[in-house]
Amino acid sequence: MPDPVCIVGGTGALGFGLALRLGRAGVPIVIGSRDGARAQEAADRARWRVPAGNFGGRENPGAVRSAGLVILSVPFRSQSETLTNLKPALGQDQLLVDATVPLAAAVSGKATRTLGVWQGSAAQQAQEMVPEGVRVVSAFHTVSAALLTDLEHELDEDVLVCGNRREDKARVSELVDRIDGLRAVDCGPLEMARIVEQFTPLLISINVRNKVRAGIKITGLHT
Amino acid sequence: MPDPVCIVGGTGALGFGLALRLGRAGVPIVIGSRDGARAQEAADRARWRVPAGNFGGRENPGAVRSAGLVILSVPFRSQSETLTNLKPALGQDQLLVDATVPLAAAVSGKATRTLGVWQGSAAQQAQEMVPEGVRVVSAFHTVSAALLTDLEHELDEDVLVCGNRREDKARVSELVDRIDGLRAVDCGPLEMARIVEQFTPLLISINVRNKVRAGIKITGLHT
């Protein structure tokens, strides 16, 4: 059985969708939330949707301690505070998969625009904030939360993965590839997240124009 | 027969590839260059590759005056100077399709990084520089020059189009769709070019890692 994965913000749309899909793929999931009761309630909902899945729900620090790989899926306005609170819980050799997008909506701006982050990207801000030894990989910015949550929908798109260590990206890619219809694509070092995080507002713009839930696929790859 | 299209920078890799593909699709092409002889030489090469095509070559100002739609395909370091020189030639109701990417390579930086452009993007810089009445549409940042030029290669990817007027984007999309295997996707107003222009360095990063010539496809669209 694969190692458990913790999803901080697993009560939100994207986090919950990832929990469902990964849970269905046989990955034990611990949903984390600031509110332990809400986390448990989300785990119950997930279990109801995917009865064969292994779902738990806990307050963030406990949830994070229980997993080697932590997916951070919170709105940009909460990213910094969440990471500050998680610092004591994050330990050596943990992998933090950051899915944060610095949408201008965080400061009442448009969802088709982003904020400039001093470090370059939300993922690089996360890397600056986590304790030494914790590595950040950036992923999951282009997959629609609604399509992940709709388990009848057959996915057919890519997840763009950025990170500084090949073995960390391989670990995240292995997780991505467990989900039917998703393919992980290595996009280079973590600094490339400043580009990949921009894809979300672009897809939002395409969605609005075409009344769809768009995703991204990289053409020309051999796999 | 469709209106002639002028490609400023049609002697370069991307511009020449577009000339070949559009010429093969029956669009009359005028290749523009600072050097009229080089433009004619490129037109000869294009005719040799696509004997049925209609190719001419002229110095930039004359080339631009001969077409309603002008594709600007020059390196970022030449974009501003080229536009300054083209000002007297560009007239009301002409459409400028900007394919410029502000790669950091323009100032000896990495091709996987971009420069910050004060106006937001190279396309918005172009919009600021052209005479009033000339509209700018942004396109052709994600299609590999090498794959365009390799006429044996069957394309299967998208061209992301940004612009402020729906009818301008429709005109460019109609042109894109003439090329077999390319599909135009409306990405929203011109300001979205600041995101789309970032796709080029990302694809370069993916190319380096995977030894491919990657492109982009938007999933979930109905067409």
Side-chain angles (χ1 to χ4, degrees), chain A residues 112-113 156-157 185-189 191-192 195-196 198-199 201-203 205-206 209-212 214-222, chain B residues 112-113 156-157 185-189 191-192 195-196 198-199 201-203 205-206 209-222:
Chain A
T112 55
R113 293 175 172 173
D156 180 23
E157 55 189 276
V185 177
D186 180 356
C187 290
E191 68 170 40
M192 300 308 284
I195 296 180
V196 175
Q198 310 293 323
F199 284 28
L202 186 83
L203 291 175
S205 178
I206 291 174
R209 249 149 211 90
N210 300 279
K211 299 186 184 19
V212 295
I216 289 272
K217 210 159 184 170
I218 303 295
T219 64
L221 293 175
H222 306 303
Chain B
T112 54
R113 293 175 174 172
D156 181 23
E157 55 188 277
V185 177
D186 180 356
C187 290
E191 67 169 41
M192 300 309 283
I195 297 180
V196 175
Q198 310 294 322
F199 280 47
L202 186 82
L203 291 175
S205 178
I206 291 173
R209 248 148 211 90
N210 299 280
K211 300 185 185 14
V212 295
R213 298 189 186 282
I216 288 276
K217 209 157 188 176
I218 302 295
T219 64
L221 293 175
H222 305 304

Short mmCIF file of all heavy atoms in Angstrom, two decimals, chain A residues 112-113 156-157 185-189 191-192 195-196 198-199 201-203 205-206 209-212 214-222, chain B residues 112-113 156-157 185-189 191-192 195-196 198-199 201-203 205-206 209-222:
data_model
loop_
_atom_site.label_atom_id
_atom_site.label_comp_id
_atom_site.label_asym_id
_atom_site.label_seq_id
_atom_site.Cartn_x
_atom_site.Cartn_y
_atom_site.Cartn_z
N THR A 112 -8.52 36.37 -13.32
CA THR A 112 -7.72 36.18 -14.53
C THR A 112 -6.40 36.93 -14.43
O THR A 112 -5.69 37.08 -15.42
CB THR A 112 -8.48 36.68 -15.77
OG1 THR A 112 -8.87 38.03 -15.55
CG2 THR A 112 -9.72 35.83 -16.03
N ARG A 113 -6.09 37.43 -13.23
CA ARG A 113 -4.82 38.12 -13.02
C ARG A 113 -4.14 37.54 -11.79
O ARG A 113 -4.78 36.96 -10.94
CB ARG A 113 -5.08 39.62 -12.78
CG ARG A 113 -5.62 40.33 -14.01
CD ARG A 113 -5.96 41.77 -13.70
NE ARG A 113 -6.31 42.48 -14.92
CZ ARG A 113 -6.79 43.72 -14.96
NH1 ARG A 113 -6.98 44.38 -13.83
NH2 ARG A 113 -7.07 44.30 -16.11
N ASP A 156 -8.25 13.63 -18.91
CA ASP A 156 -7.28 13.39 -19.97
C ASP A 156 -6.44 14.64 -20.11
O ASP A 156 -6.61 15.43 -21.03
CB ASP A 156 -7.99 13.07 -21.29
CG ASP A 156 -6.99 12.81 -22.42
OD1 ASP A 156 -5.84 12.46 -22.09
OD2 ASP A 156 -7.37 12.95 -23.59
N GLU A 157 -5.55 14.86 -19.15
CA GLU A 157 -4.74 16.07 -19.19
C GLU A 157 -3.45 15.89 -18.39
O GLU A 157 -3.22 14.83 -17.81
CB GLU A 157 -5.54 17.26 -18.68
CG GLU A 157 -6.13 17.10 -17.29
CD GLU A 157 -7.10 18.24 -16.95
OE1 GLU A 157 -6.61 19.28 -16.52
OE2 GLU A 157 -8.31 18.07 -17.13
N VAL A 185 4.23 16.00 -16.01
CA VAL A 185 5.28 16.48 -16.92
C VAL A 185 6.27 17.31 -16.11
O VAL A 185 5.89 18.28 -15.45
CB VAL A 185 4.69 17.34 -18.05
CG1 VAL A 185 5.81 17.90 -18.94
CG2 VAL A 185 3.71 16.52 -18.90
N ASP A 186 7.53 16.91 -16.15
CA ASP A 186 8.60 17.63 -15.45
C ASP A 186 8.89 18.93 -16.19
O ASP A 186 9.34 18.92 -17.34
CB ASP A 186 9.85 16.75 -15.40
CG ASP A 186 11.02 17.41 -14.68
OD1 ASP A 186 10.91 18.59 -14.29
OD2 ASP A 186 12.05 16.74 -14.52
N CYS A 187 8.63 20.05 -15.53
CA CYS A 187 8.80 21.36 -16.17
C CYS A 187 10.08 22.07 -15.75
O CYS A 187 10.31 23.21 -16.15
CB CYS A 187 7.60 22.25 -15.84
SG CYS A 187 6.11 21.69 -16.68
N GLY A 188 10.90 21.40 -14.94
CA GLY A 188 12.16 22.02 -14.57
C GLY A 188 12.20 22.42 -13.11
O GLY A 188 11.41 21.94 -12.30
N PRO A 189 13.15 23.31 -12.76
CA PRO A 189 13.35 23.68 -11.35
C PRO A 189 12.16 24.45 -10.77
O PRO A 189 11.28 24.91 -11.49
CB PRO A 189 14.61 24.56 -11.40
CG PRO A 189 14.72 25.03 -12.80
CD PRO A 189 14.10 23.96 -13.65
N GLU A 191 11.78 27.34 -9.75
CA GLU A 191 11.54 28.70 -10.24
C GLU A 191 10.57 28.73 -11.41
O GLU A 191 9.95 29.76 -11.67
CB GLU A 191 12.86 29.41 -10.61
CG GLU A 191 13.55 28.80 -11.83
CD GLU A 191 14.72 29.67 -12.33
OE1 GLU A 191 15.46 30.20 -11.49
OE2 GLU A 191 14.88 29.80 -13.56
N MET A 192 10.42 27.60 -12.12
CA MET A 192 9.47 27.57 -13.24
C MET A 192 8.03 27.67 -12.74
O MET A 192 7.11 27.91 -13.54
CB MET A 192 9.66 26.32 -14.09
CG MET A 192 11.04 26.16 -14.73
SD MET A 192 11.61 27.61 -15.66
CE MET A 192 10.63 27.44 -17.16
N ILE A 195 5.95 30.55 -13.76
CA ILE A 195 5.22 30.45 -15.02
C ILE A 195 3.99 29.56 -14.86
O ILE A 195 2.88 29.94 -15.21
CB ILE A 195 6.14 29.91 -16.14
CG1 ILE A 195 7.28 30.90 -16.39
CG2 ILE A 195 5.34 29.63 -17.41
CD1 ILE A 195 8.25 30.50 -17.48
N VAL A 196 4.20 28.38 -14.29
CA VAL A 196 3.09 27.42 -14.22
C VAL A 196 1.92 27.97 -13.39
O VAL A 196 0.76 27.75 -13.72
CB VAL A 196 3.59 26.06 -13.66
CG1 VAL A 196 2.43 25.11 -13.47
CG2 VAL A 196 4.61 25.46 -14.62
N GLN A 198 0.84 30.81 -13.41
CA GLN A 198 0.08 31.74 -14.25
C GLN A 198 -0.94 31.02 -15.14
O GLN A 198 -1.79 31.66 -15.75
CB GLN A 198 1.01 32.54 -15.18
CG GLN A 198 2.21 33.19 -14.49
CD GLN A 198 1.80 34.29 -13.55
OE1 GLN A 198 0.87 35.04 -13.83
NE2 GLN A 198 2.47 34.38 -12.41
N PHE A 199 -0.79 29.70 -15.25
CA PHE A 199 -1.69 28.97 -16.14
C PHE A 199 -3.11 28.95 -15.59
O PHE A 199 -4.07 28.87 -16.35
CB PHE A 199 -1.20 27.52 -16.32
CG PHE A 199 0.00 27.42 -17.24
CD1 PHE A 199 0.89 28.46 -17.39
CD2 PHE A 199 0.22 26.26 -17.97
CE1 PHE A 199 1.97 28.35 -18.24
CE2 PHE A 199 1.32 26.14 -18.82
CZ PHE A 199 2.18 27.19 -18.95
N PRO A 201 -4.96 31.39 -13.98
CA PRO A 201 -5.78 32.51 -14.47
C PRO A 201 -6.02 32.44 -15.98
O PRO A 201 -7.09 32.84 -16.44
CB PRO A 201 -4.95 33.75 -14.10
CG PRO A 201 -3.59 33.25 -13.77
CD PRO A 201 -3.76 31.86 -13.27
N LEU A 202 -5.08 31.92 -16.75
CA LEU A 202 -5.31 31.78 -18.19
C LEU A 202 -6.45 30.80 -18.45
O LEU A 202 -7.33 31.07 -19.26
CB LEU A 202 -4.05 31.32 -18.92
CG LEU A 202 -4.25 31.32 -20.43
CD1 LEU A 202 -4.03 32.71 -21.01
CD2 LEU A 202 -3.37 30.31 -21.14
N LEU A 203 -6.42 29.68 -17.75
CA LEU A 203 -7.49 28.69 -17.94
C LEU A 203 -8.83 29.26 -17.48
O LEU A 203 -9.87 29.01 -18.09
CB LEU A 203 -7.16 27.39 -17.19
CG LEU A 203 -5.99 26.59 -17.78
CD1 LEU A 203 -5.66 25.40 -16.90
CD2 LEU A 203 -6.30 26.13 -19.21
N SER A 205 -9.69 32.34 -17.74
CA SER A 205 -10.09 33.22 -18.85
C SER A 205 -10.68 32.40 -20.01
O SER A 205 -11.70 32.77 -20.60
CB SER A 205 -8.88 34.03 -19.32
OG SER A 205 -9.20 34.85 -20.42
N ILE A 206 -10.05 31.28 -20.31
CA ILE A 206 -10.57 30.40 -21.39
C ILE A 206 -11.92 29.81 -20.97
O ILE A 206 -12.85 29.74 -21.77
CB ILE A 206 -9.54 29.29 -21.70
CG1 ILE A 206 -8.30 29.91 -22.37
CG2 ILE A 206 -10.15 28.20 -22.59
CD1 ILE A 206 -7.15 28.93 -22.60
N ARG A 209 -14.74 32.32 -21.40
CA ARG A 209 -15.04 32.57 -22.80
C ARG A 209 -15.77 31.41 -23.47
O ARG A 209 -16.56 31.60 -24.39
CB ARG A 209 -13.73 32.79 -23.56
CG ARG A 209 -13.61 34.20 -24.00
CD ARG A 209 -12.21 34.71 -24.06
NE ARG A 209 -12.30 36.10 -23.78
CZ ARG A 209 -12.23 36.62 -22.56
NH1 ARG A 209 -12.01 35.87 -21.52
NH2 ARG A 209 -12.38 37.91 -22.40
N ASN A 210 -15.45 30.21 -23.06
CA ASN A 210 -15.94 29.02 -23.78
C ASN A 210 -16.90 28.16 -22.96
O ASN A 210 -17.33 27.12 -23.44
CB ASN A 210 -14.75 28.17 -24.24
CG ASN A 210 -13.82 28.92 -25.17
OD1 ASN A 210 -14.09 29.02 -26.35
ND2 ASN A 210 -12.73 29.47 -24.64
N LYS A 211 -17.19 28.62 -21.74
CA LYS A 211 -18.09 27.85 -20.86
C LYS A 211 -17.65 26.39 -20.76
O LYS A 211 -18.42 25.46 -21.02
CB LYS A 211 -19.54 27.96 -21.36
CG LYS A 211 -20.04 29.41 -21.37
CD LYS A 211 -21.50 29.51 -21.72
CE LYS A 211 -21.99 30.95 -21.83
NZ LYS A 211 -20.95 32.01 -22.01
N VAL A 212 -16.38 26.20 -20.45
CA VAL A 212 -15.81 24.86 -20.30
C VAL A 212 -15.00 24.80 -19.01
O VAL A 212 -14.94 25.78 -18.25
CB VAL A 212 -14.87 24.52 -21.48
CG1 VAL A 212 -15.65 24.44 -22.77
CG2 VAL A 212 -13.73 25.52 -21.60
N ALA A 214 -11.38 23.95 -18.75
CA ALA A 214 -10.21 23.64 -19.56
C ALA A 214 -9.06 23.11 -18.70
O ALA A 214 -8.99 23.37 -17.51
CB ALA A 214 -9.76 24.89 -20.31
N GLY A 215 -8.20 22.36 -19.35
CA GLY A 215 -6.95 21.90 -18.76
C GLY A 215 -5.84 22.05 -19.77
O GLY A 215 -6.06 22.63 -20.84
N ILE A 216 -4.67 21.55 -19.43
CA ILE A 216 -3.50 21.70 -20.30
C ILE A 216 -2.96 20.33 -20.69
O ILE A 216 -2.96 19.42 -19.88
CB ILE A 216 -2.37 22.45 -19.54
CG1 ILE A 216 -2.74 23.91 -19.33
CG2 ILE A 216 -1.03 22.33 -20.23
CD1 ILE A 216 -2.35 24.83 -20.42
N LYS A 217 -2.52 20.23 -21.92
CA LYS A 217 -1.79 19.04 -22.33
C LYS A 217 -0.55 19.49 -23.10
O LYS A 217 -0.65 20.39 -23.93
CB LYS A 217 -2.68 18.16 -23.19
CG LYS A 217 -2.33 16.73 -23.05
CD LYS A 217 -3.42 15.79 -23.44
CE LYS A 217 -2.88 14.40 -23.11
NZ LYS A 217 -3.87 13.38 -23.20
N ILE A 218 0.57 18.90 -22.80
CA ILE A 218 1.80 19.20 -23.52
C ILE A 218 1.89 18.23 -24.69
O ILE A 218 1.80 17.01 -24.50
CB ILE A 218 3.04 19.05 -22.61
CG1 ILE A 218 2.91 19.96 -21.38
CG2 ILE A 218 4.33 19.35 -23.38
CD1 ILE A 218 2.91 21.43 -21.66
N THR A 219 2.04 18.76 -25.90
CA THR A 219 2.12 17.89 -27.08
C THR A 219 3.59 17.55 -27.37
O THR A 219 4.50 18.26 -26.94
CB THR A 219 1.52 18.56 -28.33
OG1 THR A 219 2.30 19.73 -28.64
CG2 THR A 219 0.09 19.00 -28.08
N GLY A 220 3.79 16.48 -28.09
CA GLY A 220 5.13 16.15 -28.60
C GLY A 220 5.95 15.28 -27.65
O GLY A 220 7.07 14.91 -28.00
N LEU A 221 5.43 14.97 -26.45
CA LEU A 221 6.18 14.10 -25.54
C LEU A 221 6.08 12.66 -26.01
O LEU A 221 5.12 12.26 -26.65
CB LEU A 221 5.65 14.25 -24.11
CG LEU A 221 5.90 15.61 -23.48
CD1 LEU A 221 5.23 15.70 -22.11
CD2 LEU A 221 7.39 15.88 -23.34
N HIS A 222 7.08 11.86 -25.66
CA HIS A 222 7.10 10.49 -26.17
C HIS A 222 6.17 9.58 -25.40
O HIS A 222 5.70 8.57 -25.90
CB HIS A 222 8.53 9.93 -26.11
CG HIS A 222 9.52 10.81 -26.81
ND1 HIS A 222 9.39 11.14 -28.13
CD2 HIS A 222 10.63 11.45 -26.36
CE1 HIS A 222 10.39 11.94 -28.48
NE2 HIS A 222 11.14 12.15 -27.42
N THR B 112 15.05 29.97 -20.52
CA THR B 112 13.94 29.47 -19.70
C THR B 112 13.43 30.54 -18.74
O THR B 112 12.65 30.26 -17.83
CB THR B 112 14.37 28.24 -18.87
OG1 THR B 112 15.54 28.59 -18.13
CG2 THR B 112 14.68 27.07 -19.79
N ARG B 113 13.91 31.78 -18.94
CA ARG B 113 13.44 32.89 -18.11
C ARG B 113 13.01 34.03 -19.01
O ARG B 113 13.43 34.12 -20.15
CB ARG B 113 14.58 33.38 -17.20
CG ARG B 113 14.96 32.37 -16.15
CD ARG B 113 16.16 32.83 -15.35
NE ARG B 113 16.44 31.91 -14.25
CZ ARG B 113 17.51 31.98 -13.46
NH1 ARG B 113 18.42 32.92 -13.66
NH2 ARG B 113 17.67 31.10 -12.49
N ASP B 156 -0.32 18.95 -34.36
CA ASP B 156 -1.54 18.64 -33.61
C ASP B 156 -1.47 19.42 -32.30
O ASP B 156 -1.18 18.86 -31.24
CB ASP B 156 -1.65 17.14 -33.35
CG ASP B 156 -2.92 16.81 -32.58
OD1 ASP B 156 -3.87 17.60 -32.63
OD2 ASP B 156 -2.94 15.76 -31.90
N GLU B 157 -1.69 20.72 -32.39
CA GLU B 157 -1.59 21.54 -31.19
C GLU B 157 -2.37 22.84 -31.34
O GLU B 157 -2.98 23.09 -32.38
CB GLU B 157 -0.12 21.82 -30.86
CG GLU B 157 0.68 22.45 -31.97
CD GLU B 157 2.17 22.51 -31.62
OE1 GLU B 157 2.56 23.46 -30.94
OE2 GLU B 157 2.92 21.62 -32.07
N VAL B 185 -7.17 29.15 -30.02
CA VAL B 185 -7.97 29.23 -28.79
C VAL B 185 -7.95 30.67 -28.29
O VAL B 185 -6.88 31.24 -28.05
CB VAL B 185 -7.42 28.28 -27.70
CG1 VAL B 185 -8.21 28.44 -26.41
CG2 VAL B 185 -7.45 26.84 -28.18
N ASP B 186 -9.14 31.25 -28.15
CA ASP B 186 -9.27 32.61 -27.64
C ASP B 186 -8.97 32.63 -26.14
O ASP B 186 -9.69 32.01 -25.36
CB ASP B 186 -10.69 33.11 -27.92
CG ASP B 186 -10.92 34.54 -27.42
OD1 ASP B 186 -10.01 35.12 -26.79
OD2 ASP B 186 -12.02 35.07 -27.67
N CYS B 187 -7.91 33.32 -25.76
CA CYS B 187 -7.47 33.33 -24.36
C CYS B 187 -7.87 34.61 -23.64
O CYS B 187 -7.51 34.78 -22.47
CB CYS B 187 -5.97 33.15 -24.28
SG CYS B 187 -5.47 31.50 -24.75
N GLY B 188 -8.60 35.49 -24.33
CA GLY B 188 -9.03 36.70 -23.65
C GLY B 188 -8.34 37.95 -24.16
O GLY B 188 -7.77 37.95 -25.25
N PRO B 189 -8.41 39.03 -23.38
CA PRO B 189 -7.87 40.32 -23.82
C PRO B 189 -6.34 40.30 -23.97
O PRO B 189 -5.67 39.37 -23.51
CB PRO B 189 -8.29 41.28 -22.72
CG PRO B 189 -8.58 40.44 -21.53
CD PRO B 189 -9.03 39.11 -22.05
N GLU B 191 -4.04 41.74 -22.51
CA GLU B 191 -3.23 41.66 -21.29
C GLU B 191 -2.89 40.21 -20.93
O GLU B 191 -1.92 39.97 -20.22
CB GLU B 191 -3.92 42.35 -20.11
CG GLU B 191 -5.20 41.67 -19.64
CD GLU B 191 -5.72 42.24 -18.30
OE1 GLU B 191 -5.66 43.47 -18.12
OE2 GLU B 191 -6.17 41.44 -17.46
N MET B 192 -3.68 39.23 -21.43
CA MET B 192 -3.37 37.83 -21.13
C MET B 192 -2.08 37.39 -21.83
O MET B 192 -1.53 36.32 -21.52
CB MET B 192 -4.52 36.91 -21.54
CG MET B 192 -5.85 37.19 -20.83
SD MET B 192 -5.73 37.27 -19.01
CE MET B 192 -5.61 35.52 -18.61
N ILE B 195 0.78 36.29 -19.79
CA ILE B 195 0.84 34.87 -19.39
C ILE B 195 1.27 34.00 -20.58
O ILE B 195 2.18 33.20 -20.46
CB ILE B 195 -0.53 34.40 -18.85
CG1 ILE B 195 -0.87 35.20 -17.58
CG2 ILE B 195 -0.51 32.91 -18.58
CD1 ILE B 195 -2.19 34.83 -16.94
N VAL B 196 0.64 34.21 -21.72
CA VAL B 196 0.91 33.32 -22.87
C VAL B 196 2.37 33.43 -23.30
O VAL B 196 2.98 32.43 -23.68
CB VAL B 196 -0.05 33.64 -24.02
CG1 VAL B 196 0.30 32.81 -25.25
CG2 VAL B 196 -1.50 33.33 -23.61
N GLN B 198 4.81 33.63 -21.52
CA GLN B 198 5.64 32.82 -20.60
C GLN B 198 5.66 31.35 -21.00
O GLN B 198 6.45 30.57 -20.47
CB GLN B 198 5.09 32.92 -19.17
CG GLN B 198 4.84 34.32 -18.67
CD GLN B 198 6.11 35.12 -18.51
OE1 GLN B 198 7.13 34.59 -18.11
NE2 GLN B 198 6.06 36.40 -18.88
N PHE B 199 4.77 30.94 -21.89
CA PHE B 199 4.72 29.53 -22.26
C PHE B 199 5.98 29.12 -23.04
O PHE B 199 6.40 27.97 -22.97
CB PHE B 199 3.49 29.24 -23.15
CG PHE B 199 2.21 29.08 -22.38
CD1 PHE B 199 1.86 29.98 -21.39
CD2 PHE B 199 1.35 28.04 -22.64
CE1 PHE B 199 0.67 29.85 -20.69
CE2 PHE B 199 0.16 27.89 -21.94
CZ PHE B 199 -0.17 28.80 -20.96
N PRO B 201 9.28 30.02 -22.70
CA PRO B 201 10.37 29.51 -21.85
C PRO B 201 10.01 28.21 -21.13
O PRO B 201 10.88 27.37 -20.93
CB PRO B 201 10.61 30.66 -20.85
CG PRO B 201 9.41 31.54 -20.95
CD PRO B 201 8.89 31.39 -22.35
N LEU B 202 8.74 28.05 -20.78
CA LEU B 202 8.36 26.78 -20.12
C LEU B 202 8.54 25.62 -21.09
O LEU B 202 9.08 24.57 -20.73
CB LEU B 202 6.91 26.82 -19.63
CG LEU B 202 6.56 25.56 -18.84
CD1 LEU B 202 7.03 25.68 -17.40
CD2 LEU B 202 5.09 25.23 -18.90
N LEU B 203 8.10 25.82 -22.34
CA LEU B 203 8.26 24.75 -23.33
C LEU B 203 9.73 24.49 -23.61
O LEU B 203 10.14 23.34 -23.80
CB LEU B 203 7.51 25.10 -24.63
CG LEU B 203 5.98 25.10 -24.50
CD1 LEU B 203 5.34 25.59 -25.80
CD2 LEU B 203 5.45 23.72 -24.14
N SER B 205 12.07 24.73 -21.42
CA SER B 205 12.51 23.93 -20.28
C SER B 205 12.07 22.47 -20.44
O SER B 205 12.85 21.55 -20.16
CB SER B 205 11.93 24.53 -18.99
OG SER B 205 12.28 23.77 -17.86
N ILE B 206 10.86 22.27 -20.89
CA ILE B 206 10.37 20.89 -21.12
C ILE B 206 11.15 20.23 -22.25
O ILE B 206 11.53 19.06 -22.17
CB ILE B 206 8.85 20.91 -21.43
CG1 ILE B 206 8.07 21.31 -20.17
CG2 ILE B 206 8.37 19.55 -21.95
CD1 ILE B 206 6.58 21.52 -20.39
N ARG B 209 14.57 19.03 -21.05
CA ARG B 209 14.46 17.87 -20.18
C ARG B 209 14.10 16.59 -20.92
O ARG B 209 14.50 15.50 -20.55
CB ARG B 209 13.37 18.13 -19.15
CG ARG B 209 13.94 18.28 -17.80
CD ARG B 209 13.18 19.22 -16.92
NE ARG B 209 14.15 19.82 -16.05
CZ ARG B 209 14.79 20.93 -16.32
NH1 ARG B 209 14.53 21.61 -17.39
NH2 ARG B 209 15.71 21.37 -15.51
N ASN B 210 13.28 16.72 -21.97
CA ASN B 210 12.71 15.53 -22.61
C ASN B 210 13.19 15.32 -24.04
O ASN B 210 12.74 14.39 -24.71
CB ASN B 210 11.19 15.62 -22.60
CG ASN B 210 10.62 15.69 -21.19
OD1 ASN B 210 10.50 14.68 -20.53
ND2 ASN B 210 10.30 16.89 -20.72
N LYS B 211 14.09 16.20 -24.49
CA LYS B 211 14.60 16.09 -25.86
C LYS B 211 13.46 15.98 -26.87
O LYS B 211 13.39 15.05 -27.68
CB LYS B 211 15.57 14.91 -25.99
CG LYS B 211 16.78 15.05 -25.06
CD LYS B 211 17.78 13.97 -25.28
CE LYS B 211 18.95 14.00 -24.28
NZ LYS B 211 18.78 14.83 -23.09
N VAL B 212 12.52 16.91 -26.77
CA VAL B 212 11.37 16.94 -27.67
C VAL B 212 11.16 18.37 -28.17
O VAL B 212 11.94 19.28 -27.82
CB VAL B 212 10.07 16.49 -26.96
CG1 VAL B 212 10.17 15.03 -26.55
CG2 VAL B 212 9.77 17.37 -25.74
N ARG B 213 10.16 18.56 -28.99
CA ARG B 213 9.72 19.89 -29.38
C ARG B 213 8.26 20.00 -28.96
O ARG B 213 7.35 19.68 -29.72
CB ARG B 213 9.88 20.08 -30.89
CG ARG B 213 11.35 19.97 -31.32
CD ARG B 213 11.55 20.38 -32.75
NE ARG B 213 12.91 20.15 -33.20
CZ ARG B 213 13.96 20.91 -32.91
NH1 ARG B 213 13.80 21.96 -32.14
NH2 ARG B 213 15.15 20.64 -33.38
N ALA B 214 8.09 20.42 -27.73
CA ALA B 214 6.76 20.39 -27.12
C ALA B 214 5.89 21.54 -27.61
O ALA B 214 6.39 22.57 -28.07
CB ALA B 214 6.90 20.46 -25.60
N GLY B 215 4.60 21.33 -27.53
CA GLY B 215 3.61 22.36 -27.79
C GLY B 215 2.54 22.29 -26.73
O GLY B 215 2.69 21.56 -25.74
N ILE B 216 1.48 23.05 -26.92
CA ILE B 216 0.41 23.13 -25.91
C ILE B 216 -0.91 22.74 -26.56
O ILE B 216 -1.17 23.08 -27.71
CB ILE B 216 0.28 24.59 -25.41
CG1 ILE B 216 1.45 24.98 -24.52
CG2 ILE B 216 -1.04 24.82 -24.68
CD1 ILE B 216 1.32 24.58 -23.08
N LYS B 217 -1.71 22.05 -25.77
CA LYS B 217 -3.09 21.82 -26.18
C LYS B 217 -3.98 22.10 -24.99
O LYS B 217 -3.66 21.72 -23.87
CB LYS B 217 -3.24 20.36 -26.64
CG LYS B 217 -4.30 20.22 -27.66
CD LYS B 217 -4.16 19.02 -28.54
CE LYS B 217 -5.24 19.19 -29.61
NZ LYS B 217 -5.20 18.17 -30.59
N ILE B 218 -5.07 22.81 -25.23
CA ILE B 218 -6.03 23.07 -24.17
C ILE B 218 -7.06 21.94 -24.20
O ILE B 218 -7.65 21.67 -25.26
CB ILE B 218 -6.72 24.44 -24.38
CG1 ILE B 218 -5.68 25.57 -24.43
CG2 ILE B 218 -7.76 24.70 -23.30
CD1 ILE B 218 -4.91 25.80 -23.15
N THR B 219 -7.26 21.30 -23.07
CA THR B 219 -8.23 20.20 -23.02
C THR B 219 -9.60 20.73 -22.61
O THR B 219 -9.71 21.80 -22.02
CB THR B 219 -7.80 19.12 -22.01
OG1 THR B 219 -7.80 19.70 -20.70
CG2 THR B 219 -6.40 18.61 -22.31
N GLY B 220 -10.62 19.97 -22.95
CA GLY B 220 -11.97 20.28 -22.46
C GLY B 220 -12.77 21.20 -23.36
O GLY B 220 -13.94 21.46 -23.08
N LEU B 221 -12.17 21.70 -24.46
CA LEU B 221 -12.93 22.56 -25.38
C LEU B 221 -13.85 21.70 -26.24
O LEU B 221 -13.57 20.53 -26.49
CB LEU B 221 -11.97 23.37 -26.27
CG LEU B 221 -11.14 24.42 -25.50
CD1 LEU B 221 -10.13 25.08 -26.43
CD2 LEU B 221 -12.05 25.47 -24.88
N HIS B 222 -14.94 22.30 -26.68
CA HIS B 222 -15.92 21.50 -27.41
C HIS B 222 -15.49 21.25 -28.85
O HIS B 222 -15.91 20.28 -29.47
CB HIS B 222 -17.27 22.21 -27.39
CG HIS B 222 -17.73 22.54 -26.00
ND1 HIS B 222 -17.87 21.57 -25.03
CD2 HIS B 222 -18.05 23.71 -25.42
CE1 HIS B 222 -18.27 22.14 -23.90
NE2 HIS B 222 -18.38 23.44 -24.10
#
